[in-house]
């Protein structure tokens, strides 16, 4: 059997389940976490009756009892330096870099030295929404057969976590700059959106798709933690100046 990574190296991985409804899947996901040494489960708007029922799953009770609850994806990933979404990408057009599980797992392991990593799993029926995906830096895909590309939620969690745990985590590079947490990046994004509205670049009621595209663009910058305050300071100053002088006319 392949060696599993030490549990201390897995503490920074957060499994995030979004709007899950099937108690068997919730229990299976938590059981897989226990199997492979992961402990940080976060749930966003779970279906409460199913979540209560899932707590009786064998080997999953402790992890489910300690699961952190959030009302939004933004709150659930606010402290994470890397946010990765999972999808079979059957019919939707990819708006993010898409990586196979083996290559993606290597990148996640390297990122653990820069801060917590969130791996997002969507609901059984529709997966991750476009809004959910706007919080992701890139997408992870489990290679599957064409006739049945999507996997059961519990199975998908197990396969992803096994790939992360089966080899020793790459040694941490202490000289690598820390990446800004998702919460800081979201604050930068919100200030940028306000600045774009104040400047006249964005209409006051810009479409949700436009805002999601800007959110993805900001995340691709991979802003370092030490630079986050600089970005926030620059955007606050620009916004303050524009509010005093008024927006520039659109060209």
């Amino acid at each position: 059997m392949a060696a599993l990574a030490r549990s201390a190296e897995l503490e920074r991985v957060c499994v995030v389940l979004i709007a899950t409804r099937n108690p068997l899947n919730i229990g299976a996901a938590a059981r897989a976490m226990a199997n492979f040494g992961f402990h940080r489960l976060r749930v966003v708007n779970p279906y409460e009756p199913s979540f209560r029922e899932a707590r009786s799953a064998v080997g999953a009770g402790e992890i489910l009892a300690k699961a952190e609850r959030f009302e939004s994806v933004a709150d659930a990933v606010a402290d994470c330096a890397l946010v990765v979404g999972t999808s079979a990408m059957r019919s939707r057009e990819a708006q993010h870099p898409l990586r196979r599980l083996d290559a993606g797992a290597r990148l996640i392991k390297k990122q653990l030295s820069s801060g917590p990593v969130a791996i997002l799993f969507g609901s059984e029926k529709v997966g991750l929404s476009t809004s959910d995906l706007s919080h992701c830096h890139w997408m992870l895909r489990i290679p599957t057969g064409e006739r049945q590309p999507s996997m059961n939620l519990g199975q998908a969690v197990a396969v992803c976590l096994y790939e992360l745990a089966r080899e020793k985590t790459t040694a941490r590079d202490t000289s690598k700059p820390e990446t800004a947490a998702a919460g800081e990046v979201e604050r930068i994004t919100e200030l940028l959106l306000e600045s774009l509205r104040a400047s006249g670049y964005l209409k006051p009621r810009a479409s949700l798709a436009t805002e999601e595209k800007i959110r993805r663009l900001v995340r691709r910058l991979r802003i370092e933690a030490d630079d986050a305050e600089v970005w926030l300071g620059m955007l606050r100053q620009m916004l303050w100046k524009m509010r005093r002088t008024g927006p520039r006319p659109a060209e």
Side-chain angles (χ1 to χ4, degrees):
M1 179 178 178
L4 299 183
R6 297 191 302 273
S7 59
E9 296 173 334
L10 307 177
E11 284 297 330
R12 286 187 163 191
V13 176
C14 302
V15 175
V16 183
L17 304 182
I18 303 172
T20 47
R21 295 184 64 88
N22 188 316
L24 296 177
N25 284 334
I26 297 171
R31 175 69 180 270
M33 292 178 65
N35 287 148
F36 300 120
F38 296 84
H39 307 286
R40 301 180 68 176
L41 174 63
R42 298 178 176 182
V43 292
V44 179
N45 295 324
Y47 183 57
E48 191 58 37
S50 295
F51 191 76
R52 287 197 302 268
E53 183 179 344
R55 288 185 176 180
S56 62
V58 177
E62 183 177 355
I63 286 176
L64 289 170
K66 294 180 178 179
E68 300 174 83
R69 294 168 176 257
F70 297 89
E71 294 184 358
S72 70
V73 175
D75 290 340
V77 303
D79 63 337
C80 297
L82 175 65
V83 182
V84 178
T86 58
S87 176
M89 303 303 293
R90 286 175 293 179
S91 58
R92 67 174 67 181
E93 181 181 354
Q95 301 290 335
H96 297 73
L98 182 62
R99 296 184 170 94
R100 280 172 53 106
L101 177 59
D102 49 355
R106 289 194 294 270
L107 291 176
I108 290 172
K109 291 175 185 180
K110 291 179 181 178
Q111 185 64 43
L112 289 175
S113 63
S114 298
V117 174
I119 305 178
L120 274 53
F121 297 87
S123 69
E124 300 90 341
K125 187 175 182 179
V126 298
L128 296 174
S129 69
T130 303
S131 177
D132 298 333
L133 292 174
S134 72
H135 295 278
C136 299
H137 293 96
W138 45 268
M139 298 295 298
L140 188 66
R141 181 181 68 84
I142 300 172
T144 54
E146 292 183 2
R147 295 185 65 180
Q148 184 52 266
S150 63
M151 294 184 70
N152 169 276
L153 174 62
Q155 293 174 332
V157 172
V159 171
C160 289
L161 297 187
Y162 170 73
E163 187 66 27
L164 284 172
R166 72 185 181 90
E167 295 177 353
K168 185 176 179 179
T169 302
T170 303
R172 294 181 180 177
D173 180 1
T174 56
S175 65
K176 184 178 179 180
E178 287 198 9
T179 306
E184 287 290 289
V185 177
E186 183 65 14
R187 281 189 282 275
I188 291 170
T189 304
E190 291 298 332
L191 272 175
L192 176 59
L193 288 170
E194 286 186 53
S195 300
L196 293 174
R197 293 188 190 100
S199 71
Y201 181 85
L202 279 184
K203 296 179 180 179
R205 294 185 179 180
S207 70
L208 184 60
T210 299
E211 292 189 5
E212 289 170 349
K213 182 176 182 179
I214 291 171
R215 180 173 281 109
R216 292 193 298 269
L217 289 173
V218 173
R219 276 151 181 76
R220 289 173 191 167
L221 295 175
R222 305 294 295 147
I223 296 171
E224 295 177 7
D226 290 343
D227 294 337
E229 281 300 322
V230 178
W231 277 93
L232 289 168
M234 289 190 298
L235 289 168
R236 289 189 187 109
Q237 180 65 26
M238 288 190 290
L239 185 58
W240 174 80
K241 186 71 172 179
M242 285 186 288
R243 284 174 172 170
R244 288 193 62 187
T245 60
R248 295 177 56 189
E251 297 181 356

